[in-house]
Amino acid sequence: MYLTAHAAVGVLLSETADEPAWVFLWGFLSHFVLDFLPHGDEDVAEWIRARPKIGMIVGAVDCVFLTALLLAIFAALAPERTARVTAGVLGALLPDMVTNVVPYL
């Protein structure tokens, strides 16, 4: 699943609790629930391995959309909600960051 979808759910979950720690936990758990549901991109990893340049472009476009989404949301937020939204997005993205980014550092 694309990062933008996970981040959007993290933002949505930021409205469910007042404490950023709870929002982070719900965002983290939501990642696994969303990935458990079939969403039609099960063969994407093989497709990207066969076409690494196109895979990098798709990943870059996803990151651009995610950045635009977050900038729009943060621009509209009151400062007291920023910590919750950040916690929700980080929690929702953390599993992909750990499995797809950390091994290459």
Side-chain angles (χ1 to χ4, degrees):
M1 184 170 289
Y2 293 112
L3 296 177
T4 308
H6 286 295
V9 171
V11 171
L12 179 67
L13 291 170
S14 72
E15 296 298 316
T16 63
D18 291 332
E19 289 294 321
W22 283 110
V23 176
F24 180 87
L25 177 65
W26 291 124
F28 184 79
L29 295 175
S30 76
H31 184 100
F32 298 104
V33 171
L34 290 174
D35 278 353
F36 179 74
L37 300 171
H39 44 274
D41 65 353
E42 290 79 18
D43 297 325
V44 170
E46 292 177 30
W47 184 84
I48 288 175
R49 272 189 228 107
R51 302 163 186 85
K53 288 183 182 179
I54 294 174
M56 289 176 60
I57 291 169
V58 169
V61 169
D62 187 30
C63 287
V64 167
F65 279 128
L66 175 60
T67 302
L69 171 74
L70 292 177
L71 287 175
I73 289 170
F74 285 136
L77 282 181
E80 65 273 2
R81 294 175 54 198
T82 302
R84 290 186 318 203
V85 171
T86 303
V89 169
L90 289 176
L93 297 180
L94 183 64
D96 277 344
M97 294 300 124
V98 169
T99 57
N100 298 321
V101 175
V102 172
Y104 299 104
L105 294 179

